[in-house]
Amino acid sequence: MGSVQIVTTILAAAITAVAVWLAVRAVLKMVAVIRLGQPAPERFTDKITRARTMLVETAGHTRMLKWGVVGAAHWFVMVGFVVLSLLVLEAYFEVVTTDGGLPIIGHWTIFGLVTEIIGVLGLVGILVLMAIRLRNRPTRPGGRSRFTGSTMWQGYFVEWIVLLVLIFGFVIRGFKVATDHFEFPVWATPVSHAVGAVLPAWADGVSVAAAIKIIISMTWLIVISLNVTMGVAWHRFLAFPNIFFKREPARPAGSGLGALRPMTSQGKPLDFEEADPEKDQFGVAHVEQFTWKGLLDFSTCTECGRCQSQCPAWNTGKPLSPKLLVLSLRDHAYAKAPYLLAGGGKDLTGEEKATQAQLAHLDVLALAEADKPLIGTAEEGGVIDPDVLWSCTTCGACVEQCPVDIEHVDHIVDMRRYQVLIESSFPSEAGVMLRNLENKGNPWGAPQNTREDWTKGLDFEVPRVGEVDDFEYLFWVGCAGAFEDRAKKTTRAVATLLNEAGVSFAILGEGETCSGDPARRIGNEFVFQMLAQQNVETLNEAFEGREKAKRKIVATCPHCFNTLGNEYGQLGGEFEVVHHTQLLAHLVATGKLTPVQPVDGGVTYHDPCYLGRHNRVFAAPREVLGDAIEGDLTEMPRNSERSFCCGAGGARMWMEEKIGKRINVDRVEEAMATGARTVAVGCPFCSTMLNDGVNGKGAGEQVEVIDVASVLLRSVKPQQPQGGKETTPVGG
């Protein structure tokens, strides 16, 4: 060992010791913070499925690859980080001796070939990612980007570290080639040999380059260890457990889609008949009241901004960015952590749990952070502004796009639950809707005895449950389908088509009440459970004696479809629920309905969030339209899982949109740009919002918004009057 090797060995050992010590300290701190969260025992079920899903998502990059080039480049960088860590380990042998290498595998030609290929592809991948970050930098001309609000220096730092580590990997090999210490042939390592051809035969070059590579790698570890909120770096470790512990590992899409996470206290679902606000947690009022998985979510955020780029609120000038919301919660959690770890915190009555002695040594910044309200305006020092909280439509675009399975919607609704149930703090106009749900059983406040008015004038009898001995489907009409004029046309169209196809169905009539979706999404879990339990009891009675496979419900509203099918099981209601477009597609495919006159004029289709993204029903409506229209369906640029929200979800249907551009107008402009004269929808909320948008643009005579069922009915029974264009303004 020469003098150079002595120096490089000491340097490598010293910086590695410091880095490892800091990393261990950082990991212990992160674990301590995450453990502050509430229990979530359901995250430990079905470990085999969880492990399989984690491996598929990470190794296969199934979620990242939704963004083509970015996903592929990131995959090469990820594989490079994992596999080429062996070359960082090898560098510790190379600082000691110029011909050093990994024991056993370090001399295998296949090892040289694989690491060469991965090194080259990793270089290409990181250069692509750097170019993409620069092209989308927030300061570029053209306004907002998905990186707006991200900590840009951290992204640049990580990318440059990766680039330099990869470069010095080839420099080390090049010096070995130049000094005849390289064991791999040219065919297996052509780039390394090419680098070696231009480097001098410097005997100590291998050890010096290896020391620089170690210093670069350990500098990265030191920097991220001193910045535990540096998600752009820590996600490469935290993504694995975050994906493993996702809520529903078997779901083909985002784990936080479909059903909402039940309201819990101390890890157990809350029973309102026994709940006590002084003993049980009602929603989230403080950051430590999120579950430990929530705190892991916040820690894992990569700041990539995919969620932000797809969010309808962010894209229309509202203050909500799912990314910035998560980052605010993350930074608040870690800033407040010293206070919490010292024993601080408020109990459910608002009393401080820690003694003065416990808090005496704390930094004033941690104490100041502890005093911040979780929800509050800038003047109040709040972590999350109320306008941010109430801008969410719960469309799920953020959850769909997140590469590390953060469950944004669950966290937003948990914060809403506390605001509604304990603080009674929510947009005032939504109060009318909640009172109507409690008193009238529907958000419009219509009399219950008018629920069956939509059946008047039909040329066939609509059977009621209890009046017929048997039926195949229970037709869940929904509040919009029963009371809202435009939606009633869809209800009549579906009933007419089912009757035409000879499908045996029945309705609950006045026995039906609101599914509870708007109450639950706004955060009023109490009203949701009241309505849901009533409906579950009614439905169980209607299906008494039937197995689940024969407890079939067809619904025209995706919100009812989602609630009945995904959430009523939490309350003892197990049903097979289909959307009307699924049933109609089946009836057409089996020849029970036959389109005879194609509808012309150009048709585009708007995917409802709760039908498409939340429940993966994309094909059925398009199959129905494909059979019913002349020519091909014209797709909007944002369609299927990337469909843009109409703005009505998350109970936004009953709240005024006062900030930025109206979401429905943005969507209508996209629909009109296709040139289609008909915008087909599969949701009464979407119908209302898009019709209002069309009328607002003054295009009511040129563009028609109607349900898929109405399009099919015009094709199946072209002679039947359809009641004119569905452009009547909504009073609600």
Side-chain angles (χ1 to χ4, degrees):
M1 180 185 292
S3 58
V4 171
Q5 283 70 41
I6 292 173
V7 172
T8 56
T9 300
I10 292 172
L11 283 174
I15 195 169
T16 300
V18 172
V20 169
W21 178 75
L22 289 173
V24 170
R25 189 182 69 167
V27 169
L28 291 175
K29 179 178 180 179
M30 295 175 78
V31 170
V33 170
I34 291 168
R35 291 185 64 185
L36 289 169
Q38 300 302 303
E42 73 279 3
R43 304 288 180 168
F44 295 91
T45 60
D46 201 358
K47 294 182 176 61
I48 294 176
T49 300
R50 293 181 179 280
R52 185 188 307 116
T53 300
M54 180 193 69
L55 291 172
V56 169
E57 284 196 22
T58 53
H61 252 44
T62 51
R63 297 177 68 77
M64 285 292 300
L65 287 172
K66 292 177 180 179
W67 287 51
V69 173
V70 179
H74 190 276
W75 187 85
F76 289 127
V77 172
M78 182 203 73
V79 172
F81 176 81
V82 174
V83 176
L84 300 185
S85 295
L86 292 172
L87 296 186
V88 175
L89 178 60
E90 187 175 51
Y92 285 93
F93 293 91
E94 292 163 338
V95 295
V96 177
T97 173
T98 56
D99 60 354
L102 278 180
I104 304 175
I105 65 171
H107 301 285
W108 294 355
T109 300
I110 188 64
F111 175 75
L113 173 64
V114 169
T115 51
E116 184 88 354
I117 293 172
I118 292 174
V120 171
L121 294 177
L123 274 172
V124 173
I126 196 62
L127 289 171
V128 168
L129 293 181
M130 293 173 80
I132 290 171
R133 187 177 294 273
L134 287 170
R135 189 182 67 195
N136 291 281
R137 66 192 184 280
T139 55
R140 81 198 194 291
R144 291 177 168 186
S145 84
R146 66 185 176 95
F147 292 118
T148 299
S150 297
T151 315
M152 295 301 287
W153 76 261
Q154 295 180 353
Y156 293 137
F157 172 77
V158 169
E159 287 167 347
W160 273 102
I161 289 290
V162 172
L163 179 64
L164 291 173
V165 167
L166 289 168
I167 288 173
F168 272 90
F170 284 108
V171 170
I172 293 169
R173 287 185 162 188
F175 275 122
K176 284 187 174 182
V177 170
T179 55
D180 291 327
H181 289 132
F182 199 50
E183 55 270 76
F184 304 124
V186 176
W187 67 265
T189 53
V191 175
S192 297
H193 279 272
V195 173
V198 299
L199 289 178
W202 181 25
D204 295 325
V206 172
S207 295
V208 172
I212 294 173
K213 182 176 181 178
I214 290 171
I215 290 170
I216 293 170
S217 301
M218 293 303 109
T219 297
W220 173 80
L221 189 56
I222 289 170
V223 170
I224 73 168
S225 297
L226 295 173
N227 293 272
V228 290
T229 59
M230 194 170 175
V232 70
W234 282 106
H235 83 272
R236 62 188 58 198
F237 306 113
L238 297 178
F240 297 97
N242 208 56
I243 294 171
F244 181 88
F245 289 115
K246 65 159 70 178
R247 176 151 60 88
E248 296 177 85
R251 277 186 69 90
S255 166
L257 295 173
L260 278 175
R261 181 176 174 272
M263 190 167 168
T264 60
S265 179
Q266 292 299 313
K268 298 177 181 179
L270 201 62
D271 183 348
F272 279 95
E273 293 184 1
E274 300 178 359
D276 181 351
E278 294 189 1
K279 298 178 181 178
D280 293 302
Q281 179 181 315
F282 280 56
V284 169
H286 306 285
V287 71
E288 66 272 18
Q289 290 180 339
F290 287 105
T291 67
W292 62 262
K293 175 57 169 63
L295 296 177
L296 178 59
D297 269 359
F298 308 152
S299 303
T300 308
C301 180
T302 72
E303 303 190 25
C304 66
R306 285 169 176 78
C307 58
Q308 181 171 286
S309 72
Q310 303 297 304
C311 177
W314 177 260
N315 276 288
T316 54
K318 316 254 183 327
L320 168 63
S321 157
K323 177 188 72 179
L324 298 181
L325 179 139
V326 166
L327 297 186
S328 297
L329 293 171
R330 178 198 68 189
D331 294 344
H332 174 58
Y334 280 88
K336 188 178 180 181
Y339 160 78
L340 296 171
L341 292 171
K346 302 290 195 299
D347 63 21
L348 294 173
T349 64
E351 295 295 319
E352 175 60 57
K353 293 187 289 187
T355 64
Q356 287 296 322
Q358 287 176 297
L359 303 180
H361 69 285
L362 284 181
D363 184 87
V364 65
L365 294 177
L367 291 172
E369 196 72 29
D371 286 336
K372 287 184 177 181
L374 188 65
I375 306 298
T377 62
E379 293 76 16
E380 295 167 335
V383 178
I384 304 297
D385 192 278
D387 284 334
V388 170
L389 186 68
W390 298 110
S391 291
C392 180
T393 67
T394 68
C395 71
C398 49
V399 179
E400 168 76 35
Q401 290 297 325
C402 182
V404 292
D405 281 304
I406 293 172
E407 296 158 6
H408 313 72
V409 174
D410 282 344
H411 304 320
I412 288 171
V413 173
D414 269 341
M415 290 186 284
R416 285 183 172 188
R417 285 166 168 165
Y418 180 82
Q419 293 300 305
V420 172
L421 294 171
I422 302 299
E423 296 291 335
S424 295
S425 176
F426 51 87
S428 58
E429 59 270 22
V432 177
M433 177 268 290
L434 289 172
R435 286 193 295 273
N436 286 336
L437 287 177
E438 287 191 73
N439 300 327
K440 299 290 188 178
N442 68 85
W444 282 276
Q448 185 71 356
N449 61 10
T450 63
R451 267 197 181 268
E452 299 179 31
D453 283 2
W454 65 270
T455 64
K456 295 176 180 177
L458 291 174
D459 56 8
F460 59 91
E461 188 70 24
V462 176
R464 279 74 174 166
V465 171
E467 297 178 357
V468 291
D469 294 332
D470 195 20
F471 55 89
E472 184 179 3
Y473 287 95
L474 188 151
F475 182 13
W476 182 272
V477 177
C479 298
F483 301 120
E484 199 272 315
D485 288 340
R486 190 161 37 233
K488 283 197 280 189
K489 295 179 181 180
T490 299
T491 308
R492 290 166 63 89
V494 171
T496 301
L497 289 166
L498 295 182
N499 181 70
E500 181 76 12
V503 175
S504 171
F505 71 97
I507 63 171
L508 289 172
E510 294 183 26
E512 183 183 304
T513 191
C514 180
S515 67
D517 166 85
R520 189 169 227 199
R521 264 74 196 164
I522 203 173
N524 198 324
E525 186 75 5
F526 175 78
V527 171
F528 164 73
Q529 289 199 21
M530 177 185 73
L531 295 168
Q533 286 169 352
Q534 179 180 335
N535 282 325
V536 166
E537 184 177 334
T538 300
L539 290 168
N540 283 339
E541 184 178 337
F543 288 121
E544 189 173 3
R546 297 194 193 189
E547 59 190 48
K548 181 181 177 181
K550 294 183 178 179
R551 296 156 68 92
K552 298 180 182 179
I553 299 174
V554 57
T556 57
C557 175
H559 296 264
C560 296
F561 165 69
N562 177 72
T563 303
L564 271 63
N566 294 329
E567 297 185 337
Y568 276 17
Q570 300 169 4
L571 300 170
E574 296 289 339
F575 313 108
E576 289 291 331
V577 187
V578 298
H579 189 251
H580 71 282
T581 57
Q582 293 175 298
L583 181 53
L584 295 178
H586 171 72
L587 295 175
V588 172
T590 54
K592 294 181 179 179
L593 288 175
T594 305
V596 294
Q597 181 175 312
V599 176
D600 60 6
V603 178
T604 190
Y605 174 66
H606 163 78
D607 287 275
C609 300
Y610 273 83
L611 180 65
R613 188 157 42 239
H614 277 280
N615 285 285
R616 323 313 291 174
V617 179
F618 302 120
R622 289 174 169 80
E623 290 168 1
V624 173
L625 293 171
D627 289 318
I629 68 175
E630 185 173 347
D632 294 329
L633 184 71
T634 304
E635 293 282 9
M636 286 183 261
R638 295 177 291 191
N639 64 78
S640 301
E641 67 271 7
R642 290 198 186 186
S643 178
F644 195 71
C645 182
C646 74
R652 289 293 323 174
M653 178 87 166
W654 290 274
M655 297 183 232
E656 290 297 324
E657 198 168 344
K658 301 174 183 176
I659 304 173
K661 183 179 182 181
R662 294 182 69 87
I663 294 173
N664 61 334
V665 171
D666 192 295
R667 185 57 165 169
V668 161
E669 289 173 351
E670 185 175 5
M672 292 175 62
T674 66
R677 290 172 52 192
T678 300
V679 181
V681 297
C683 171
F685 290 4
C686 296
S687 177
T688 295
M689 299 300 286
L690 298 187
N691 265 296
D692 286 354
V694 167
N695 292 334
K697 298 289 292 184
E701 295 301 315
Q702 294 80 43
V703 179
E704 182 180 19
V705 181
I706 61 172
D707 192 88
V708 171
S710 295
V711 176
L712 179 61
L713 183 59
R714 290 179 181 181
S715 181
V716 171
K717 302 182 72 172
Q719 76 284 358
Q720 178 153 325
Q722 300 301 311
K725 291 174 66 175
E726 298 184 18
T727 54
T728 307
V730 175

